[in-house]
Amino acid sequence: MSKVFVYGSLRKGGQLHGALNGCELVTTCRTKPEYNLRSLGAFPALCPGGETAVLGEVYEVSEATKMRLDQIEGHPHLYVRMPIVVGDDLEVETYLFHHNAKDEDLIESGDWIEYAGTTPSLI
């Protein structure tokens, strides 16, 4: 089992949240203020090297679920699964966007669900 931090469409209220059915929600928290959250249109991108504390949820996931999340996130080509620290020093994995997203819309609140609104589940 692994702890995974989700911050976009996989969060409760996001269109891909169904991929986490059966997974235990550990906590809702924010990253350290070391990232930028940017809109790529239908999805957000968590980018290192910013100053935003991004809101998300931590789930306990099985290896099978983590493999499914890897497919959804395009790991390792589109997003890269990396360890980060969130909340009160909780070590988790998340999906970082390492491509150039500097010109994409910055989500200053760090909250994708608030920014994008809720949509029906796709899964």
Side-chain angles (χ1 to χ4, degrees):
M1 298 292 273
S2 301
K3 289 180 179 61
V4 175
F5 177 79
V6 298
Y7 53 85
S9 58
L10 289 164
R11 280 180 50 202
K12 186 175 180 181
Q15 70 263 36
L16 297 177
H17 182 70
L20 294 169
N21 281 346
C23 297
E24 179 185 347
L25 173 65
V26 175
T27 189
T28 298
C29 59
R30 288 189 178 265
T31 66
K32 304 297 181 191
E34 301 170 352
Y35 302 91
N36 280 326
L37 188 63
R38 297 193 177 273
S39 173
L40 300 178
F43 302 100
L46 183 63
C47 305
E51 298 177 354
T52 303
V54 175
L55 181 64
E57 300 161 353
V58 175
Y59 287 88
E60 188 79 37
V61 302
S62 67
E63 287 303 308
T65 298
K66 190 162 56 170
M67 288 176 58
R68 183 171 186 198
L69 296 178
D70 283 353
Q71 290 178 327
I72 289 169
E73 299 292 355
H75 169 73
H77 305 292
L78 185 58
Y79 291 82
V80 178
R81 181 169 28 86
M82 300 282 295
I84 67 168
V85 175
V86 297
D88 294 328
D89 298 324
L90 179 61
E91 294 183 21
V92 298
E93 292 181 287
T94 198
Y95 294 89
L96 297 177
F97 191 77
H98 281 285
H99 302 281
N100 186 3
K102 291 181 182 178
D103 295 332
E104 305 300 330
D105 292 338
L106 179 65
I107 303 169
E108 293 182 19
S109 70
D111 185 342
W112 171 255
I113 298 297
E114 176 186 87
Y115 174 84
T118 58
T119 57
S121 177
L122 297 177
I123 294 179

